[in-house]
Amino acid sequence: MHPPLSEPASLSLLLTWFRRVEARVGRTTGTDPARGMGALWSQERPPEEGQPTERSRWQAMARQLLTTVLFLSVLLGSCVLFIYIFWSCRPRTCDTPVCRRLLDHYLKSGNISVAPCTDFFSFACGKAKGTLAEEIKRQLQRILESSGSWHPGSEEEKAFQFYSSCMDTDAIEAEGAGPLRHIIEELGGWQISGNWTSLDFNRTLRLLMSQYGHFPFFRAYLSPHPSPPHQLVIQIDQPKFDIPLGQELEQKNYAQILREYLTYLNCLGKLLGGNPSKVQEHAYLSISITSQLSRFLRPPGQQRTQGKLFQMVTIDQLQEMAPAIDWLSCLQATFTPMSLSPSQLVVVHDLDYLQNMSKVLEKQLLEHRDFLQSHMIFGLVEALSPALDSKFQEARRLLNQKVRELTEQPPMPTRPRWMECVEETDAAFKPTLAAVFVRETFSPSTQSAAMELFTAIKDALITHLRRLPWIDEETQKKAQDKVTQVQVTMGAPEWALKPALARQEYNDTHLRPSYLQSFLSSVRSRQARIIQSSFQPSPHHRWKVSPWEVSAHYSSSDHMVAFPAGLLLPPFFHPGYPRAVNFGAAGSIMVHELLRIFSQLLLPGCCQACDNRAVLQCLENHYAAFPLPHGISFNGSRTFQENVADMGSLAIALQAYKNRLLWHYGETTLPRLDLSPHQLFFLSYAQVMCREPSTQDSQDTHSPPSLRVHGPLSNTPAFARYFSCPRGTLLNPSRRCQLW
């Protein structure tokens, strides 16, 4: 090999080679090399030179022809390349079975005859029937009714037999109230049936709490401590009464509701063979006790305002403050095998209520001990009604119907028996049913694709945080760090992905000939599992969300987000869907949950470094201006934080989708819809909100479904651009709020 030339030597050699070429060209064309490159292309001849020869003219023409051919070749090649790139990047039609099913779902649920710029909710959801949660319950029904071959005595077989027992209404009707009467006798009976044994009040209460999972006067449960390090601790909370709070209703409505409850309790007493006159008397006193206790209940918001969300006290201190309850014996029986002592600390959520409750009970124990016994049994019968025959369930249905009418709530739709049995099997055999569900519906490839989507969403959010003008640089950095450090569980927890863990859960669950007895066995087994989890290291890290749930969860104590498989199934997500669908539906849900990490930044007055007061006020006015369906109420202050999160979920999911298109070509779309990928993105976003407005819960912190669609879309210029919405239409307003 020759040694490398120095820079001057290399340049000299190059110039020498160039002159030789120039001289050779000059000899061919008759030009002078000394005149340089300019002469090579000059068309002028000095006067002393003669006219060009015939040969030189042909050579010039050949050069021009060659130049033209080369130019046209380059032009043609560029056109071909441009057409290839254009057709390669152009969305292809997805005609796979999974896309055809999605297309069918969109066509059945939407109403494409509606103008999208004036009512996109109806455009996307105008014919929607049912919800994703209902569809997943149908999947569980199909699994539980399949003729699977299960190992005799296995936990899978127990779950399937439990469901079959629940569905065997003929056997339940044949048993009637017999199994329930037997339970009442074990508790000492009650006077309305004539065979009452005056037992100790706290003994009956211990049995109800430990054997039947029924808490008539307060709730006691294991839950992570409200403050770090969030260890599991016994918590004492207000009870949940079926009767609405009197302070929330007009006096005449509240009185009528009490009369409806009195009618219901009379019906229960008669179904259990009680003497009509005694039933009436005991039912009345039971309603009186509930009414007295309900006067002391305070909504969580009021507790928060008064700074009394929880207090730490010992069991001994609690005994002094509320002496009517034998706290140590009742809690010890309920939370066996935990070893409790008088010095054991517990979390109390409303000490004032417990003190007032104790006074009411002390008075009843002195004057009406037998009525107090009947009150506790009435409550137990109500709690067990799902496992009783049709007469008890019909009485409960009529009560619910009357109460909803009096509280001006829409009627509840009639639920089929299979749906109730699916829910009871879920509660009784959650780990086993979860393992089967994951195996049947959620493949490793789906989990991998969902994690890829989450990574794209998280990266877009981190980048987006740097661009927010209303928070300072330090706050931006802290917010980015929190998003970066968040942990995620995708699809299902470890115990659902490893069936061996689930099989260890149900050694103490015993199926009985009576469905009611099987039901109670499952209640005791479930309570024992919860208590046993407290002995495991870091028990609060154990994800208790069912894989089929359709709502994501963020745990501030664990700094972890969980996205159940129910959210990552069609029609919200599938690895074979167009990217627009996955980013618009599942992607926006992921953003919404991630925004909970720093939700306090979005509350007025909670972030001193945030200059967002004007834009937050703009958003409040923006939502208040939207029309709502007839009969649907809207509380802007209650839903404000969710409205802000809805805005962010759409904006950031859209940015993540654009980022993906920038680096990954080959997008697909659905046939027959005539929607571009971006239009499909917005359609899939709206599909997440498809549900009947009448199902809106008065205490729901989300806005009505139509407002959850129209609010964010109207604040997104890209939506108006892709759907060509005229200026001034509902979804292309003249003014927008630039929060995200």
Side-chain angles (χ1 to χ4, degrees):
M1 295 180 62
H2 298 289
L5 298 174
S6 65
E7 187 174 352
S10 300
L11 182 59
S12 175
L13 183 60
L14 183 62
L15 290 172
T16 302
W17 176 83
F18 190 84
R19 290 191 186 101
R20 289 176 181 172
V21 173
E22 189 179 43
R24 192 176 297 118
V25 172
R27 286 194 298 271
T28 305
T29 61
T31 58
D32 185 0
R35 295 176 61 188
M37 286 296 292
L40 180 64
W41 300 106
S42 176
Q43 298 299 317
E44 297 181 0
R45 295 289 184 273
E48 61 271 16
E49 293 186 12
Q51 296 297 318
T53 64
E54 187 71 20
R55 179 180 179 183
S56 66
R57 284 197 302 268
W58 281 105
Q59 287 176 339
M61 291 173 64
R63 284 198 304 273
Q64 290 177 0
L65 179 62
L66 180 61
T67 302
T68 303
V69 170
L70 288 173
F71 175 75
L72 292 175
S73 298
V74 171
L75 182 62
L76 180 62
S78 299
C79 291
V80 171
L81 180 61
F82 175 77
I83 293 172
Y84 172 77
I85 293 174
F86 175 78
W87 283 100
S88 297
C89 295
R90 185 174 180 270
R92 294 174 290 106
T93 299
C94 179
D95 200 31
T96 62
V98 68
C99 283
R100 288 197 295 270
R101 286 193 293 270
L102 178 64
L103 171 67
D104 184 60
H105 169 77
Y106 282 170
L107 291 174
K108 287 181 178 177
S109 59
N111 185 358
I112 58 176
S113 65
V114 175
C117 296
T118 57
D119 188 357
F120 197 76
F121 179 75
S122 295
F123 179 84
C125 307
K127 299 177 182 176
K129 302 293 183 183
T131 63
L132 179 60
E134 292 172 2
E135 176 55 34
I136 288 179
K137 284 177 182 175
R138 290 189 184 94
Q139 286 183 293
L140 290 170
Q141 177 197 15
R142 289 190 287 270
I143 291 173
L144 288 168
E145 293 180 355
S146 63
S147 55
S149 178
W150 309 110
H151 188 274
S154 67
E155 306 314 316
E156 290 89 349
E157 185 185 52
K158 284 184 179 180
F160 281 69
Q161 287 180 350
F162 183 89
Y163 174 80
S164 297
S165 177
C166 178
M167 290 294 292
D168 190 357
T169 53
D170 290 341
I172 295 173
E173 294 296 325
E175 289 174 340
L180 184 56
R181 289 196 188 99
H182 180 69
I183 290 171
I184 293 174
E185 290 173 3
E186 289 179 346
L187 292 170
W190 53 350
Q191 264 199 355
I192 68 169
S193 59
N195 55 344
W196 177 55
T197 304
S198 181
L199 300 177
D200 177 72
F201 162 74
N202 276 290
R203 178 186 179 277
T204 303
L205 183 60
R206 281 197 303 272
L207 288 173
L208 288 173
M209 292 170 59
S210 61
Q211 298 300 306
Y212 302 100
H214 178 56
F215 300 84
F217 308 110
F218 55 87
R219 287 186 297 143
Y221 53 89
L222 275 178
S223 187
H225 192 284
S227 301
H230 304 292
Q231 295 297 322
L232 281 183
V233 63
I234 295 174
Q235 306 203 24
I236 314 295
D237 209 342
Q238 298 178 151
K240 289 184 177 180
F241 293 133
D242 287 337
I243 300 178
L245 297 181
Q247 56 265 37
E248 297 177 355
L249 301 166
E250 293 183 10
Q251 186 63 35
K252 62 177 182 179
N253 283 357
Y254 185 61
Q256 183 59 38
I257 287 173
L258 293 182
R259 283 193 287 271
E260 295 296 340
Y261 267 90
L262 182 61
T263 300
Y264 172 62
L265 295 186
N266 271 311
C267 181
L268 295 186
K270 292 174 184 176
L271 288 174
L272 289 165
N275 180 287
S277 60
K278 286 187 177 181
V279 168
Q280 176 81 9
E281 184 183 14
H282 284 243
Y284 179 83
L285 263 294
S286 178
I287 292 290
S288 175
I289 293 171
T290 300
S291 182
Q292 290 179 61
L293 294 177
S294 67
R295 288 190 291 109
F296 306 126
L297 300 179
R298 288 181 298 176
Q302 183 180 341
Q303 291 176 289
R304 188 179 294 108
T305 302
Q306 297 176 354
K308 295 182 178 180
L309 272 179
F310 68 90
Q311 294 172 261
M312 293 294 299
V313 300
T314 65
I315 293 178
D316 209 14
Q317 290 172 329
L318 186 58
Q319 189 66 55
E320 292 180 10
M321 299 174 190
I325 307 294
D326 186 348
W327 291 101
L328 182 59
S329 67
C330 286
L331 294 178
Q332 182 64 79
T334 303
F335 296 104
T336 299
M338 293 178 67
S339 179
L340 304 181
S341 68
S343 60
Q344 175 76 43
L345 285 171
V346 295
V347 173
V348 174
H349 287 269
D350 191 339
L351 189 55
D352 290 342
Y353 166 79
L354 295 180
Q355 290 175 315
N356 287 315
M357 172 208 70
S358 180
K359 293 175 182 176
V360 171
L361 295 183
E362 287 172 343
K363 182 178 180 180
Q364 292 295 327
L365 287 170
L366 289 173
E367 300 174 1
H368 305 290
R369 180 181 294 266
D370 53 344
F371 291 119
L372 201 56
Q373 173 82 358
S374 295
H375 172 76
M376 291 190 285
I377 291 178
F378 272 130
L380 176 63
V381 175
E382 289 181 68
L384 297 180
S385 61
L388 302 177
D389 67 44
S390 59
K391 299 184 186 68
F392 289 91
Q393 295 194 38
E394 178 62 15
R396 183 70 196 184
R397 187 193 67 78
L398 289 174
L399 172 65
N400 290 339
Q401 177 183 326
K402 294 289 187 181
V403 171
R404 293 185 75 86
E405 289 175 0
L406 291 168
T407 54
E408 299 181 350
Q409 298 181 66
M412 289 290 290
T414 303
R415 286 155 48 87
R417 178 70 182 179
W418 68 262
M419 190 175 290
E420 295 179 1
C421 291
V422 164
E423 292 176 358
E424 294 301 336
T425 308
D426 163 26
F429 292 88
K430 187 183 297 292
T432 295
L433 192 56
V436 177
F437 178 80
V438 170
R439 186 171 68 243
E440 295 285 335
T441 64
F442 196 71
S443 66
S445 62
T446 301
Q447 186 181 41
S448 176
M451 281 299 301
E452 182 181 351
L453 173 64
F454 177 76
T455 300
I457 290 294
K458 187 171 73 169
D459 291 346
L461 175 57
I462 292 172
T463 302
H464 207 87
L465 289 171
R466 301 191 191 108
R467 303 171 183 166
L468 296 181
W470 47 270
I471 54 177
D472 64 7
E473 187 175 347
E474 182 181 356
T475 308
Q476 286 178 356
K477 183 65 170 61
K478 290 180 180 178
Q480 291 169 28
D481 289 344
K482 292 201 74 173
V483 176
T484 301
Q485 296 163 8
V486 70
Q487 308 213 8
V488 61
T489 302
M490 195 66 66
E494 183 182 21
W495 52 262
L497 298 173
K498 296 182 178 180
L501 295 176
R503 294 191 184 103
Q504 301 170 9
E505 300 276 356
Y506 296 101
N507 294 330
D508 56 350
T509 302
H510 305 288
L511 301 184
R512 309 291 188 185
S514 162
Y515 172 64
L516 176 60
Q517 293 294 341
S518 297
F519 176 86
L520 288 172
S521 178
S522 72
V523 169
R524 293 162 189 152
S525 176
R526 184 162 65 248
Q527 176 72 358
R529 290 196 304 275
I530 293 172
I531 297 169
Q532 192 62 37
S533 69
S534 67
F535 297 103
Q536 300 172 3
S538 301
H540 56 283
H541 286 286
R542 183 170 180 177
W543 191 34
K544 295 179 173 63
V545 180
S546 298
W548 48 79
E549 287 194 24
V550 292
S551 58
H553 298 265
Y554 169 66
S555 169
S556 58
S557 59
D558 302 332
H559 194 44
M560 180 189 78
V561 287
F563 300 103
L567 283 175
L568 302 171
L569 298 174
F572 290 173
F573 182 83
H574 191 279
Y577 278 172
R579 293 191 189 102
V581 174
N582 289 336
F583 275 86
S588 63
I589 294 170
M590 290 177 178
V591 178
H592 195 286
E593 209 58 32
L594 283 173
L595 291 179
R596 296 187 189 281
I597 294 174
F598 43 87
S599 58
Q600 63 180 7
L601 296 181
L602 307 173
L603 292 176
C606 289
C607 176
Q608 299 302 320
C610 300
D611 184 19
N612 57 5
R613 183 179 304 173
V615 71
L616 294 180
Q617 183 61 51
C618 176
L619 281 178
E620 190 171 346
N621 297 336
H622 182 80
Y623 272 78
F626 272 92
L628 290 174
H630 178 70
I632 301 300
S633 60
F634 169 62
N635 186 327
S637 60
R638 188 179 67 239
T639 64
F640 179 76
Q641 193 166 350
E642 292 293 341
N643 294 341
V644 172
D646 284 341
M647 289 280 188
S649 66
L650 177 62
I652 295 163
L654 179 59
Q655 185 58 54
Y657 177 56
K658 290 178 178 179
N659 295 345
R660 182 52 57 98
L661 289 183
L662 186 63
W663 298 106
H664 299 80
Y665 70 89
E667 176 63 303
T668 59
T669 189
L670 298 178
R672 295 172 51 197
L673 278 181
D674 195 26
L675 295 179
S676 70
H678 282 88
Q679 289 175 324
L680 190 58
F681 169 90
F682 291 115
L683 176 65
S684 64
Y685 167 79
Q687 278 278 321
V688 174
M689 316 299 176
C690 287
R691 60 184 174 91
E692 292 289 338
S694 60
T695 62
Q696 179 79 5
D697 186 349
S698 61
Q699 298 302 314
D700 193 354
T701 57
H702 297 89
S703 293
S706 61
L707 194 51
R708 294 191 69 188
V709 172
H710 292 159
L713 290 182
S714 63
N715 204 55
T716 306
F719 173 82
R721 184 168 67 253
Y722 284 110
F723 278 93
S724 302
C725 296
R727 191 72 168 173
T729 53
L730 184 69
L731 297 183
N732 189 12
S734 58
R735 184 185 179 191
R736 293 185 172 92
C737 310
Q738 297 302 320
L739 177 64
W740 299 106

